[in-house]
Amino acid sequence: MKLIGIKKKNIFVFYIIGLILGLFIIFAGYMSSIKENNNPLLIILGFIVTIICIIFLIDVIKSPNNVIEINLVDKYILLNNRKSKIYLKNIENIRYKQARNKYKSLKWGNIYIEANDQIYKCKYVDECESICYFLHEEIVKAKNEFQ
């Protein structure tokens, strides 16, 4: 077994910063509502930012560290901490979607694998583009050997 896809290590830092920012907005809104009486707009905005960051932070924490493992001898991959086993010859399509910020694409993202009439999603994969190309080459080799 060879581990080829791991979760991006420092992705949760962005959401922790957003969580702190949301709490700061709540505090600023609370302080301004004390002085100006009934201005809840900042408090509501702070709660929205905080809740969104908490949801994404929980999703990042729950996602597995070992996302994709491959066995080149028996020609199969294991996804998401060995929850799903897929033979390379059964994979119909593989694609990726890189995460983006305002100006450029980042090196991590999601990989989507279509096999056995299902779509498997691997989230927060570091170096998703190179992993997708590597898997595509291995899928072509496995299908050529199978025929």
Side-chain angles (χ1 to χ4, degrees), residues 1 18 21-23 27 31 38-39 50 60 72 77 89 92 99 107 112 119 123 135 141:
M1 292 300 290
L21 179 67
L23 294 173
F27 178 74
M31 295 305 286
N38 298 331
N39 188 6
T50 303
V60 168
L72 294 172
I77 58 174
K89 63 183 179 183
E92 300 156 11
K107 292 189 177 201
Y112 302 92
I119 297 176
K123 298 191 288 188
L135 283 176
K141 288 178 190 176

Side-chain angles (χ1 to χ4, degrees), residues 19 23 27 34 36 46-47 53 59-60 67 70-71 74 79 84 96 101 109 132 144:
L19 182 66
L23 294 173
F27 178 74
I34 289 176
E36 297 181 14
F47 273 115
C53 287
D59 188 44
V60 168
V67 183
I70 189 167
N71 186 330
D74 295 329
L79 304 177
S84 303
Y96 67 95
N101 66 13
C132 195
N144 287 338

Side-chain angles (χ1 to χ4, degrees), residues 104-122:
K104 65 177 183 171
S105 292
L106 303 173
K107 292 189 177 201
W108 59 273
N110 298 333
I111 294 179
Y112 302 92
I113 299 173
E114 295 177 33
N116 306 326
D117 297 327
Q118 290 183 335
I119 297 176
Y120 300 91
K121 182 178 180 181
C122 302

Side-chain angles (χ1 to χ4, degrees), residues 22-70:
L23 294 173
F24 177 76
I25 293 171
I26 291 172
F27 178 74
Y30 177 74
M31 295 305 286
S32 70
S33 69
I34 289 176
K35 293 179 182 177
E36 297 181 14
N37 293 334
N38 298 331
N39 188 6
L41 185 62
L42 279 178
I43 295 174
I44 293 170
L45 178 67
F47 273 115
I48 291 171
V49 169
T50 303
I51 289 171
I52 289 172
C53 287
I54 287 173
I55 290 170
F56 280 111
L57 190 60
I58 289 171
D59 188 44
V60 168
I61 291 171
K62 284 175 51 179
S63 66
N65 289 328
N66 299 338
V67 183
I68 302 173
E69 296 178 61
I70 189 167

Side-chain angles (χ1 to χ4, degrees), residues 121-137:
K121 182 178 180 181
C122 302
K123 298 191 288 188
Y124 311 115
V125 181
D126 197 14
E127 299 289 337
C128 66
E129 182 179 17
S130 61
I131 291 170
C132 195
Y133 288 137
F134 172 76
L135 283 176
H136 182 70
E137 290 174 3

Side-chain angles (χ1 to χ4, degrees), residues 3-19:
L3 179 64
I4 59 170
I6 59 172
K7 179 172 69 171
K8 179 75 175 163
K9 295 285 186 209
N10 58 0
I11 191 169
F12 64 92
V13 172
F14 297 117
Y15 298 117
I16 290 176
I17 291 171
L19 182 66

